[in-house]
């Protein structure tokens, strides 16, 4: 193979070693201990503190959360015994550098052996994580995890992807539409399963009246900032559109003025560090859309980190031309029904402010939106959950061995 396989974790790992292992039991003691150790190590290491997405990861992995997931899975035991699938091959995306941990750890919790391929991009956050994981995997108490883990990096090459794919029980593909479509063409064993997570699109909707009545507008803007800026607006759940729900008029204009004023203040304060080309890409995309789409207004005051486009007709928004990096499409809709009617199958997360759960549920039932897998509060767009893109990941990472029905009095045993 001309393209080398770079072994990142563990130091002594190899494809042959990891494929020779047997799965663990779901939620095995050593697995919970390892995930908990990763969480504790991040929380006490000051180098992680400037990276809120890593702190969120650490909180997500704390023991009470893990035990809650375990209790949830125990409900299946009335029907049979839940077991690991075997070997799971994760191909991680390049745009969200910590996502590989969520995919790997959920599979690990279900007892699987895991091979993770990282993209060629690296980052300070990812390097910190790899350093920490490398240290923990060398501890003797985590030998079982070390033997069942292989994290690698190789250039885009079907050779390694095909070799690995032919030997696994499940493949998980994260990436752009073209990448996912191509990788799906590489053969899997006949009984292997596959989960795919291609490009998605997300948005935020704010009720005009509720926003104007809100006392702490800075808090809402701070939560929106976290949703949109933690991964440079490149995460699939980061909002790219802001819809105002309500009547047109002075109230709408005042709400818009106050919201963007608060967000600009936070962006100036936090000064997100992005590659220089991100700002250029955004300016070029905004100008091109402004010139070619009718009824679009390129709003003044754009900066390297924030550029807005107002659409008179929400139906004219060119989702496929959005490049992230602090570019926001903006428009108005009359009500929640109009919002959910606007969505398409590619849409994933809607963050909402100003509406009750009951009102949202009623609208969703009336409209039956074509897309949308998650409706979250503002500030929770990036919260990872075991149900993602409509997939129940813990169950997908396992199989249910069905047992005979419980014996009734007088029945013979099986």
């Amino acid at each position: 193979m001309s393209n080398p396989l770079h072994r990142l974790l563990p130091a002594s790992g190899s494809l042959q070693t990891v494929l020779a292992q047997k799965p663990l039991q779901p939620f095995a003691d050593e697995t919970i201990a390892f995930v908990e150790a990763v969480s504790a190590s991040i929380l006490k290491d000051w180098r992680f503190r400037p990276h809120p997405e890593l702190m969120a990861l650490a909180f997500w992995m704390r023991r009470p959360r893990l035990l809650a997931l375990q209790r949830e899975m125990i409900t299946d035991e009335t029907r049979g015994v839940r077991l690991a699938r075997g070997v799971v091959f994760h191909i991680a995306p390049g745009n969200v550098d910590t996502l590989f941990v969520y995919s790997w750890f959920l599979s690990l919790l279900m007892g699987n052996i895991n091979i993770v391929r990282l993209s060629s991009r690296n980052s300070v956050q990812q390097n910190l994580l790899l350093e920490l994981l490398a240290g923990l995997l060398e501890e003797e108490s985590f030998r079982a995890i070390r033997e069942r883990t292989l994290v690698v990096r190789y250039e885009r090459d079907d050779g390694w992807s095909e070799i690995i794919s032919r030997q696994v029980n499940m493949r998980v593909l994260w990436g752009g539409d073209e990448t996912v479509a191509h990788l799906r063409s590489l053969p899997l064993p006949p009984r292997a399963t596959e989960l795919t997570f291609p490009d998605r699109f997300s948005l935020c909707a704010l009720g005009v009246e509720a926003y104007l009545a809100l006392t702490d507008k800075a808090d809402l803007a701070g939560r929106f900032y976290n949703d949109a800026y933690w991964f440079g607006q490149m995460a699939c759940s980061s909002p790219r559109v802001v819809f105002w729900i309500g009547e047109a008029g002075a109230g709408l204009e005042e709400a818009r003025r106050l919201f963007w004023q608060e967000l600009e203040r936070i962006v100036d304060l936090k000064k997100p560090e992005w590659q220089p080309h991100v700002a250029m890409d955004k300016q070029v995309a905004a100008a091109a859309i402004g010139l070619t789409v009718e009824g679009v207004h390129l709003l003044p005051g754009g900066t390297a980190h924030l550029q807005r486009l107002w659409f008179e007709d929400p139906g004219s928004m060119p989702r496929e031309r959005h490049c992230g990096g602090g570019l926001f499409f903006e428009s108005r809709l009359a009500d929640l029904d109009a919002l959910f009617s606007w969505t398409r199958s590619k849409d994933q997360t809607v963050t909402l402010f100003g509406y009750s759960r009951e009102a949202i549920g009623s609208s969703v039932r009336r409209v039956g939106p074509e897309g949308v897998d998650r409706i979250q509060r503002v500030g929770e767009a990036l919260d990872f959950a075991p149900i993602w893109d409509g997939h129940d990941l813990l169950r997908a990472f396992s199989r249910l061995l069905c047992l005979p029905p419980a014996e009734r009095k007088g029945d013979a045993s099986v």
Side-chain angles (χ1 to χ4, degrees):
M1 186 75 60
S2 59
N3 182 8
L5 185 80
H6 299 287
R7 187 180 59 223
L8 302 176
L9 297 174
S12 56
S14 73
L15 195 56
Q16 292 74 20
T17 299
V18 79
L19 290 173
Q21 305 304 314
K22 292 185 177 179
L24 298 170
Q25 290 291 320
F27 290 94
D29 290 344
E30 55 265 59
T31 306
I32 292 177
F34 176 71
V35 177
E36 184 182 19
V38 174
S39 170
S41 299
I42 292 175
L43 291 174
K44 71 182 180 186
D45 189 333
W46 62 268
R47 295 177 302 164
F48 287 84
R49 290 175 190 163
H51 308 293
E53 68 275 27
L54 297 180
M55 301 306 290
L57 171 68
F59 276 99
W60 183 84
M61 296 187 297
R62 289 181 302 170
R63 174 172 279 267
R65 174 66 170 158
L66 302 179
L67 296 181
L69 293 175
Q70 184 182 26
R71 286 194 296 273
E72 183 182 331
M73 296 306 294
I74 287 173
T75 59
D76 281 349
E77 292 187 354
T78 56
R79 294 184 291 164
V81 178
R82 192 158 286 281
L83 298 170
R85 284 201 175 274
V87 182
V88 179
F89 179 26
H90 311 256
I91 297 187
N95 59 337
V96 182
D97 40 26
T98 56
L99 186 59
F100 78 96
V101 177
Y102 290 103
S103 186
W104 166 20
F105 278 13
L106 285 174
S107 174
L108 176 65
L109 286 168
M110 296 314 295
N112 292 298
I113 298 149
N114 294 281
I115 301 170
V116 183
R117 186 249 172 173
L118 300 184
S119 81
S120 56
R121 301 182 201 174
N122 57 25
S123 65
V124 172
Q125 294 92 323
Q126 191 178 87
N127 291 337
L128 276 172
L129 265 177
L130 290 174
E131 180 186 332
L132 182 145
L133 289 162
L136 288 172
L137 283 171
E138 291 308 310
E139 294 184 13
E140 188 54 29
S141 57
F142 298 133
R143 180 177 179 180
I145 310 301
R146 180 173 69 241
E147 292 173 343
R148 291 164 176 80
T149 297
L150 184 64
V151 180
V152 299
R153 179 176 281 145
Y154 53 86
E155 294 299 322
R156 288 193 176 194
D157 184 325
D158 288 350
W160 282 114
S161 294
E162 189 165 351
I163 288 172
I164 298 171
S165 293
R166 287 185 182 279
Q167 302 177 78
V168 301
N169 304 97
M170 183 176 185
R171 186 168 62 189
V172 187
L173 304 177
W174 302 82
D177 290 351
E178 290 184 12
T179 299
V180 168
H182 174 73
L183 289 169
R184 293 192 77 179
S185 70
L186 304 180
L188 286 167
R191 292 198 68 249
T193 62
E194 186 171 58
L195 283 179
T196 62
F197 300 93
D199 289 333
R200 302 300 299 273
F201 194 88
S202 295
L203 52 134
C204 174
L206 308 169
V208 173
E209 290 186 10
Y211 181 77
L212 289 173
L214 178 65
T215 303
D216 193 350
K217 293 180 171 59
D219 175 70
L220 185 74
R223 288 187 277 135
F224 179 87
Y225 174 91
N226 293 342
D227 288 345
Y229 283 81
W230 273 8
F231 295 103
Q233 210 185 16
M234 301 295 185
C236 57
S237 53
S238 295
R240 298 184 167 204
V241 176
V242 173
F243 276 125
W244 293 96
I245 309 297
E247 298 293 329
L252 169 63
E253 297 310 316
E254 179 66 359
R256 292 178 63 203
R257 185 185 70 79
L258 293 172
F259 176 77
W260 294 111
Q261 178 179 287
E262 287 291 349
L263 184 64
E264 287 170 7
R265 185 183 61 78
I266 292 170
V267 171
D268 287 343
L269 184 68
K270 294 185 178 282
K271 293 181 172 54
E273 295 181 6
W274 295 340
Q275 295 291 323
H277 72 84
V278 173
M280 181 62 71
D281 291 347
K282 176 171 67 259
Q283 299 298 335
V284 171
I289 294 169
L291 288 171
T292 57
V293 179
E294 191 172 347
V296 177
H297 304 280
L298 181 61
L299 298 174
T303 69
H305 293 108
L306 202 164
Q307 178 67 63
R308 298 155 55 202
L309 286 167
W310 175 265
F311 287 75
E312 297 291 347
D313 175 11
S316 68
M317 286 183 189
R319 289 175 169 83
E320 71 285 356
R321 295 170 68 179
H322 199 294
C323 62
L327 176 63
F328 296 96
F329 295 170
E330 187 182 12
S331 193
R332 183 192 72 84
L333 291 168
D335 51 34
L336 285 181
D337 287 8
L339 172 71
F340 292 118
S341 296
W342 179 88
T343 60
R344 297 292 178 268
S345 61
K346 207 175 186 66
D347 297 333
Q348 185 213 54
T349 299
V350 176
T351 46
L352 264 171
F353 172 78
Y355 293 91
S356 67
R357 190 174 191 274
E358 290 71 23
I360 296 167
S362 295
S363 179
V364 166
R365 290 185 192 94
R366 278 194 302 274
V367 175
E370 184 180 332
V372 184
D373 292 318
R374 308 167 69 228
I375 298 173
Q376 299 284 98
R377 299 183 183 90
V378 174
E380 298 177 354
L382 300 177
D383 289 2
F384 195 82
I387 295 179
W388 195 257
D389 274 13
H391 299 290
D392 186 332
L393 295 179
L394 288 175
R395 289 180 171 80
F397 282 134
S398 59
R399 62 189 179 92
L400 188 63
L401 190 158
C402 293
L403 295 176
E407 295 90 353
R408 292 171 299 187
K409 190 174 182 180
D411 285 352
S413 300
V414 173

Coordinates of all heavy atoms in Angstrom, one line a residue, residues 188-231:
L188 N -19.0 -3.7 2.1 CA -19.0 -4.2 3.5 C -19.4 -5.7 3.5 O -20.0 -6.1 2.5 CB -20.1 -3.4 4.3 CG -19.8 -2.0 4.7 CD1 -21.1 -1.4 5.2 CD2 -18.8 -1.9 5.8
P189 N -19.1 -6.4 4.5 CA -19.6 -7.8 4.6 C -21.1 -7.8 4.5 O -21.8 -6.8 4.9 CB -19.1 -8.2 6.0 CG -17.9 -7.4 6.3 CD -18.2 -6.0 5.7
P190 N -21.7 -8.9 4.0 CA -23.1 -8.9 3.8 C -24.0 -8.6 5.0 O -25.0 -7.9 4.8 CB -23.4 -10.4 3.3 CG -22.1 -10.8 2.8 CD -21.0 -10.1 3.6
R191 N -23.6 -8.9 6.2 CA -24.4 -8.7 7.4 C -24.0 -7.4 8.1 O -24.6 -7.1 9.1 CB -24.4 -9.9 8.3 CG -25.1 -11.1 7.8 CD -25.4 -12.1 8.9 NE -26.4 -11.6 9.8 CZ -26.2 -11.3 11.0 NH1 -25.0 -11.4 11.6 NH2 -27.2 -10.9 11.8
A192 N -23.1 -6.7 7.6 CA -22.6 -5.5 8.3 C -23.7 -4.4 8.1 O -24.5 -4.4 7.1 CB -21.3 -5.0 7.7
T193 N -23.8 -3.5 9.0 CA -24.7 -2.4 9.0 C -24.0 -1.1 8.8 O -22.7 -1.0 8.9 CB -25.6 -2.3 10.2 OG1 -24.7 -2.0 11.3 CG2 -26.4 -3.6 10.5
E194 N -24.7 0.0 8.5 CA -24.0 1.3 8.2 C -24.9 2.4 8.7 O -26.1 2.4 8.5 CB -23.8 1.4 6.7 CG -23.0 2.6 6.3 CD -22.6 2.5 4.8 OE1 -23.5 2.4 4.0 OE2 -21.4 2.5 4.5
L195 N -24.3 3.4 9.2 CA -24.9 4.7 9.6 C -24.2 5.8 8.8 O -23.0 5.8 8.7 CB -24.8 5.0 11.1 CG -25.8 4.2 12.0 CD1 -25.5 4.7 13.5 CD2 -27.2 4.5 11.7
T196 N -25.0 6.7 8.2 CA -24.4 7.8 7.5 C -24.9 9.1 8.0 O -26.1 9.3 8.4 CB -24.7 7.7 6.0 OG1 -26.1 7.8 5.8 CG2 -24.2 6.4 5.4
F197 N -24.0 10.1 8.1 CA -24.3 11.4 8.5 C -23.7 12.4 7.6 O -22.6 13.0 7.8 CB -23.7 11.7 10.0 CG -24.2 10.7 11.0 CD1 -23.6 9.5 11.3 CD2 -25.4 11.0 11.6 CE1 -24.1 8.6 12.2 CE2 -26.0 10.1 12.5 CZ -25.3 8.9 12.8
P198 N -24.4 12.7 6.5 CA -23.9 13.6 5.4 C -24.2 15.0 5.8 O -24.6 15.4 6.9 CB -24.7 13.2 4.2 CG -26.0 12.6 4.8 CD -25.7 12.0 6.1
D199 N -24.1 16.0 4.9 CA -24.3 17.4 5.1 C -25.7 17.6 5.6 O -26.7 17.0 5.1 CB -24.2 18.2 3.8 CG -22.7 18.3 3.4 OD1 -21.8 18.2 4.2 OD2 -22.5 18.4 2.2
R200 N -25.9 18.5 6.6 CA -27.2 18.9 7.1 C -27.2 20.4 7.2 O -26.1 21.1 7.0 CB -27.5 18.3 8.4 CG -27.5 16.8 8.5 CD -28.5 16.1 7.5 NE -29.9 16.5 7.8 CZ -30.7 15.9 8.6 NH1 -30.2 14.8 9.3 NH2 -32.0 16.2 8.8
F201 N -28.4 21.0 7.4 CA -28.5 22.4 7.5 C -29.4 22.8 8.7 O -30.4 22.1 9.0 CB -29.2 22.9 6.2 CG -29.2 24.4 5.9 CD1 -28.1 25.0 5.2 CD2 -30.2 25.2 6.4 CE1 -28.1 26.3 5.0 CE2 -30.2 26.6 6.2 CZ -29.1 27.1 5.5
S202 N -29.0 23.8 9.4 CA -29.8 24.1 10.7 C -30.1 25.6 10.7 O -29.5 26.4 10.0 CB -28.9 23.7 11.9 OG -28.8 22.3 11.9
L203 N -31.0 25.9 11.6 CA -31.5 27.3 11.6 C -32.0 27.7 13.0 O -32.2 26.8 13.9 CB -32.7 27.5 10.7 CG -33.8 26.5 10.8 CD1 -35.2 27.2 10.8 CD2 -33.7 25.5 9.6
C204 N -32.2 29.0 13.2 CA -32.7 29.5 14.5 C -34.0 30.3 14.2 O -34.0 31.0 13.2 CB -31.6 30.3 15.2 SG -32.2 31.1 16.7
A205 N -35.0 30.2 15.1 CA -36.2 31.0 14.9 C -36.5 31.7 16.2 O -36.5 31.1 17.3 CB -37.4 30.1 14.5
L206 N -36.7 33.0 16.1 CA -37.0 33.8 17.3 C -38.3 34.5 17.2 O -38.6 35.1 16.2 CB -35.9 34.9 17.5 CG -34.5 34.4 17.4 CD1 -33.5 35.6 17.3 CD2 -34.1 33.6 18.7
G207 N -39.2 34.3 18.2 CA -40.5 35.0 18.3 C -40.2 36.5 18.6 O -39.6 36.8 19.5
V208 N -40.8 37.4 17.7 CA -40.5 38.8 17.8 C -41.0 39.3 19.2 O -40.3 40.0 19.9 CB -41.2 39.6 16.7 CG1 -41.1 41.1 16.9 CG2 -40.6 39.2 15.4
E209 N -42.3 39.0 19.5 CA -42.9 39.6 20.8 C -42.1 39.0 22.0 O -41.8 39.8 22.9 CB -44.3 39.2 20.8 CG -45.2 39.9 19.8 CD -46.7 39.7 20.0 OE1 -47.0 39.1 21.1 OE2 -47.5 40.0 19.1
A210 N -41.8 37.7 22.0 CA -41.1 37.2 23.1 C -39.7 37.8 23.3 O -39.2 38.0 24.4 CB -41.0 35.7 23.0
Y211 N -39.1 38.0 22.1 CA -37.7 38.6 22.2 C -37.8 40.0 22.8 O -36.9 40.4 23.6 CB -37.0 38.6 20.8 CG -35.6 39.2 20.9 CD1 -34.6 38.4 21.4 CD2 -35.4 40.5 20.5 CE1 -33.3 38.9 21.5 CE2 -34.1 41.0 20.7 CZ -33.1 40.2 21.2 OH -31.8 40.8 21.3
L212 N -38.7 40.8 22.3 CA -38.8 42.2 22.8 C -39.1 42.2 24.3 O -38.6 43.1 25.0 CB -39.9 43.0 22.0 CG -39.5 43.3 20.6 CD1 -40.7 43.9 19.9 CD2 -38.3 44.2 20.5
A213 N -39.8 41.2 24.8 CA -40.2 41.2 26.2 C -39.0 40.6 27.1 O -39.1 40.7 28.3 CB -41.4 40.3 26.4
L214 N -38.0 40.0 26.4 CA -36.9 39.4 27.2 C -36.1 40.4 27.9 O -35.6 41.4 27.3 CB -36.1 38.6 26.2 CG -34.8 37.9 26.7 CD1 -35.3 36.8 27.7 CD2 -34.0 37.3 25.6
T215 N -35.8 40.1 29.2 CA -35.0 41.1 30.0 C -33.6 40.9 29.7 O -32.9 41.9 29.5 CB -35.3 40.8 31.5 OG1 -36.7 40.9 31.7 CG2 -34.5 41.8 32.3
D216 N -33.1 39.7 29.7 CA -31.6 39.5 29.5 C -31.3 39.1 28.1 O -31.1 37.9 27.7 CB -31.2 38.4 30.5 CG -29.7 38.3 30.6 OD1 -29.0 39.0 29.8 OD2 -29.2 37.6 31.5
K217 N -31.2 40.1 27.2 CA -31.0 39.8 25.8 C -29.5 39.4 25.6 O -29.2 38.7 24.6 CB -31.3 41.0 24.9 CG -32.8 41.3 24.9 CD -33.1 42.5 24.1 CE -34.6 42.7 23.9 NZ -35.4 42.9 25.1
A218 N -28.6 39.8 26.4 CA -27.2 39.5 26.3 C -27.0 38.0 26.5 O -26.2 37.3 25.8 CB -26.4 40.2 27.3
D219 N -27.8 37.4 27.4 CA -27.7 36.0 27.7 C -28.1 35.2 26.5 O -27.4 34.2 26.1 CB -28.6 35.6 28.9 CG -28.6 34.1 29.1 OD1 -27.6 33.5 29.5 OD2 -29.6 33.5 28.8
L220 N -29.2 35.6 25.8 CA -29.6 34.8 24.6 C -28.6 35.0 23.5 O -28.3 34.0 22.8 CB -31.0 35.4 24.2 CG -31.6 34.6 23.0 CD1 -32.1 33.3 23.4 CD2 -32.7 35.4 22.3
A221 N -28.1 36.2 23.3 CA -27.0 36.3 22.3 C -25.8 35.5 22.6 O -25.2 34.9 21.7 CB -26.7 37.8 22.2
G222 N -25.5 35.4 23.9 CA -24.3 34.5 24.2 C -24.6 33.1 23.9 O -23.7 32.4 23.4
R223 N -25.8 32.6 24.1 CA -26.1 31.2 23.8 C -26.1 31.0 22.3 O -25.7 30.0 21.8 CB -27.4 30.8 24.5 CG -27.3 30.7 26.0 CD -28.6 30.2 26.6 NE -29.6 31.2 26.8 CZ -30.9 31.1 26.5 NH1 -31.3 30.0 26.0 NH2 -31.7 32.1 26.8
F224 N -26.6 32.0 21.6 CA -26.6 31.9 20.1 C -25.2 31.8 19.6 O -24.9 31.1 18.7 CB -27.4 33.1 19.5 CG -27.4 33.0 18.0 CD1 -28.4 32.3 17.3 CD2 -26.5 33.7 17.3 CE1 -28.5 32.3 15.9 CE2 -26.5 33.7 15.9 CZ -27.5 33.0 15.2
Y225 N -24.4 32.6 20.2 CA -22.9 32.7 19.8 C -22.3 31.2 19.9 O -21.7 30.8 19.0 CB -22.1 33.6 20.7 CG -20.7 33.6 20.4 CD1 -20.1 34.5 19.5 CD2 -19.8 32.7 21.1 CE1 -18.7 34.4 19.2 CE2 -18.5 32.7 20.9 CZ -17.9 33.5 19.9 OH -16.6 33.4 19.7
N226 N -22.6 30.6 21.1 CA -22.1 29.2 21.3 C -22.6 28.3 20.1 O -21.8 27.5 19.6 CB -22.5 28.7 22.6 CG -21.9 29.5 23.8 OD1 -20.9 30.2 23.6 ND2 -22.4 29.3 24.9
D227 N -23.8 28.4 19.8 CA -24.4 27.5 18.8 C -23.7 27.8 17.4 O -23.4 26.8 16.7 CB -25.9 27.8 18.6 CG -26.7 27.3 19.7 OD1 -26.2 26.4 20.5 OD2 -27.9 27.7 19.8
A228 N -23.5 29.0 17.1 CA -23.1 29.4 15.7 C -21.5 29.4 15.6 O -21.0 29.1 14.5 CB -23.6 30.7 15.4
Y229 N -20.8 29.7 16.7 CA -19.4 30.1 16.5 C -18.4 29.0 17.0 O -17.2 29.1 16.7 CB -19.1 31.4 17.1 CG -19.6 32.6 16.3 CD1 -20.9 33.0 16.3 CD2 -18.7 33.3 15.4 CE1 -21.3 34.1 15.5 CE2 -19.1 34.4 14.7 CZ -20.4 34.7 14.7 OH -20.9 35.8 13.9
W230 N -18.8 28.1 17.8 CA -17.9 27.2 18.4 C -17.1 26.4 17.3 O -15.9 26.1 17.5 CB -18.6 26.2 19.3 CG -18.7 26.7 20.7 CD1 -18.4 27.9 21.2 CD2 -19.2 25.9 21.9 NE1 -18.7 28.0 22.5 CE2 -19.2 26.8 23.0 CE3 -19.6 24.6 22.1 CZ2 -19.6 26.4 24.3 CZ3 -20.0 24.2 23.3 CH2 -20.0 25.1 24.4
F231 N -17.7 26.0 16.3 CA -17.0 25.3 15.2 C -17.0 26.1 13.9 O -17.1 25.6 12.8 CB -17.7 23.9 15.0 CG -17.5 23.0 16.2 CD1 -18.6 22.8 17.0 CD2 -16.3 22.4 16.5 CE1 -18.5 21.9 18.1 CE2 -16.2 21.5 17.5 CZ -17.3 21.3 18.4

